[in-house]
Amino acid sequence: MKLKIILLSIGTLFLGASSQLHKGDEIVQVATLSALLDGQYDGKIPYARLKKMGDFGVGTFDQLDGEMVALDGEFFQIKSDGIVYPVKNGIKAPFADLTFFEADQTENINTPLNYAQLRDRLLDLLPDENHYYAIRVSGRFGQVQTRSVHKQQKPYPYPLLSEAVAQQEVFDYEDIEGTMVGTYMPESASGVGVAGFHFHFISKDKKRGGHLLDCNFEQVKIAIDHTSGLRLLKNARNYN
Ligand SMILES: [Zn+2]
């Protein structure tokens, strides 16, 4: 069967000289955040395909079964039991953001910061608040708080995402090495993607993680990928 793939480009697809761009410079996204907020938890694109669309990113799973982190080409599923599982190729994503991460900008932080202060610092570092970035923050964290969501059962859309998240499992970790994996999207992307910062966390030993709620640290390394924009996989149902 011939796959008909419709790609809808959003935001600025080309930044600077096109010769500097290559495959994987953009953030590829499965579906929209509004769809997920409306309770559309059915997976749309199998991770077997998504693993070819990026080596870095965040997302979730069919029936909202946990939080996804992709780092250096490894894909992880943090379920509501707090355990980190490798992502099976057959499982599908109802929502995910992926890119091939290449650092365009790095910064070492050597002063204690909490999560709010980190976001302020990142805003100072970003060249343009109206653009799309992939961001990794790695090092030893004094404290990390993550969450994961419970697998939902049909019929959807209830509970809506806001209600499902209210029943989230929260995990607190202290003195933990790991990496924050995430994106920054501009206010204009609100509803399409997550406007502002959205981070997931994976520990260095790959045993802990989840959607990041809070953190603090004394020393980390920030790497920022200036992406070429956001590409929405519109007809997600055509991917099998
Ligand atoms: Zn998340």
Side-chain angles (χ1 to χ4, degrees):
M1 186 178 72
K2 192 180 173 199
L3 293 175
K4 189 180 172 197
I5 300 166
I6 296 174
L7 302 173
L8 178 70
S9 56
I10 288 192
T12 317
L13 262 182
F14 296 102
L15 176 74
S18 59
S19 61
Q20 293 172 346
L21 293 175
H22 54 82
K23 190 170 175 280
D25 244 6
E26 76 277 8
I27 296 174
V28 175
Q29 183 175 290
V30 178
T32 63
L33 180 66
S34 330
L36 198 68
L37 289 168
D38 286 346
Q40 294 179 32
Y41 305 133
D42 278 339
K44 295 176 175 66
I45 303 186
Y47 272 96
R49 265 186 176 271
L50 293 174
K51 287 173 181 178
K52 295 173 184 163
M53 294 183 181
D55 59 7
F56 178 95
V58 297
T60 185
F61 299 92
D62 193 43
Q63 296 182 264
L64 205 66
D65 191 13
E67 311 282 348
M68 190 281 285
V69 187
L71 179 62
D72 298 325
E74 286 189 279
F75 285 64
F76 304 98
Q77 179 177 13
I78 300 101
K79 296 192 188 182
S80 57
D81 58 8
I83 296 174
V84 180
Y85 302 84
V87 174
K88 293 186 179 131
N89 283 337
I91 193 167
K92 292 182 176 181
F95 182 84
D97 285 305
L98 286 163
T99 191
F100 287 100
F101 191 90
E102 279 198 325
D104 294 298
Q105 188 182 355
T106 59
E107 177 92 356
N108 291 316
I109 306 284
N110 297 306
T111 50
L113 296 181
N114 61 30
Y115 186 35
Q117 292 166 325
L118 171 65
R119 292 197 302 267
D120 286 344
R121 187 63 172 269
L122 286 169
L123 281 176
D124 287 341
L125 291 171
L126 298 181
D128 180 354
E129 286 184 23
N130 294 311
H131 202 61
Y132 297 78
Y133 301 91
I135 303 167
R136 63 188 283 169
V137 180
S138 49
R140 180 173 287 279
F141 293 76
Q143 178 253 333
V144 170
Q145 186 179 65
T146 64
R147 72 111 195 275
S148 187
V149 280
H150 288 280
K151 184 176 184 176
Q152 302 299 314
Q153 303 298 336
K154 285 177 185 287
Y156 310 137
Y158 299 104
L160 295 176
L161 187 63
S162 56
E163 295 153 351
V165 163
Q167 293 157 22
Q168 65 191 359
E169 297 295 332
V170 176
F171 310 105
D172 286 292
Y173 304 114
E174 289 183 4
D175 191 24
I176 182 168
E177 264 191 275
T179 302
M180 291 165 58
V181 170
T183 56
Y184 170 87
M185 295 188 190
E187 210 40 59
S188 57
S190 184
V192 176
V194 181
F197 297 102
H198 178 207
F199 285 106
H200 288 188
F201 179 84
I202 185 76
S203 63
K204 191 178 178 186
D205 65 9
K206 311 289 166 52
K207 291 195 160 85
R208 292 163 177 80
H211 170 102
L212 188 101
L213 296 174
D214 198 12
C215 69
N216 64 53
F217 53 80
E218 292 185 3
Q219 197 172 32
V220 291
K221 183 177 180 182
I222 293 171
I224 300 172
D225 182 346
H226 303 174
T227 76
S228 57
L230 184 66
R231 191 153 62 97
L232 196 63
L233 303 170
K234 194 184 175 195
N235 264 17
R237 77 175 76 94
N238 289 328
Y239 292 83
N240 288 305

